[in-house]
Amino acid sequence: MNLPVEVITAGKKLRAVTQDLTAYGMFIRLSPPLSVGTLVQVVIAPNGQRLVTTGQVAHSLEDAEARMLGRFPGVGIQFRDPVRPADEQFSAAVQRLLERHAHNQPTAD
């Protein structure tokens, strides 16, 4: 699922696009990728409402590795467990996006 996203780390805002999205995390196309272990804030804005949660870079895919795999460079972000109301809102929005995406997929024969 391609979704515009903003990644905030070390006071810098990076605009990017997701490649994959789950209830537990997302892969974000980003070159150069951030280092594994980097703490980030992730911002999405479905329906125009900015939602923020905190996550950590769980894996990183450099340009050369990505080319070999036929993928884009970027980072896998693992969301932290919801601890604030904003985290809960982010999690609920991701769940709605996933349900809507699944509903719009063609059924297999």
Side-chain angles (χ1 to χ4, degrees), residues 23-35:
Y24 306 103
M26 62 176 55
F27 186 84
I28 300 173
R29 297 176 186 177
L30 195 60
S31 183
L34 300 170
S35 300

Side-chain angles (χ1 to χ4, degrees), residues 3-100:
L3 180 70
V5 64
E6 188 177 281
V7 178
I8 303 169
T9 184
K12 291 173 39 180
K13 291 182 183 181
L14 308 169
R15 294 190 189 278
V17 175
T18 65
Q19 185 168 320
D20 298 313
L21 177 65
T22 73
Y24 306 103
M26 62 176 55
F27 186 84
I28 300 173
R29 297 176 186 177
L30 195 60
S31 183
L34 300 170
S35 300
V36 171
T38 302
L39 292 176
V40 297
Q41 287 188 303
V42 179
V43 183
I44 59 174
N47 305 318
Q49 180 186 5
R50 285 176 57 88
L51 301 169
V52 182
T53 198
T54 301
Q56 185 171 13
V57 176
H59 67 93
S60 181
L61 193 58
E62 298 283 341
D63 291 333
E65 294 173 293
R67 265 193 307 277
M68 286 177 28
L69 296 171
R71 297 198 57 183
F72 290 95
V75 292
I77 303 292
Q78 179 179 1
F79 303 140
R80 73 172 178 187
D81 290 332
V83 294
R84 303 173 320 202
D87 298 326
E88 295 285 350
Q89 291 172 340
F90 186 97
S91 182
V94 166
Q95 192 59 42
R96 286 190 302 274
L97 286 167
L98 292 171
E99 288 169 1
R100 196 173 313 133

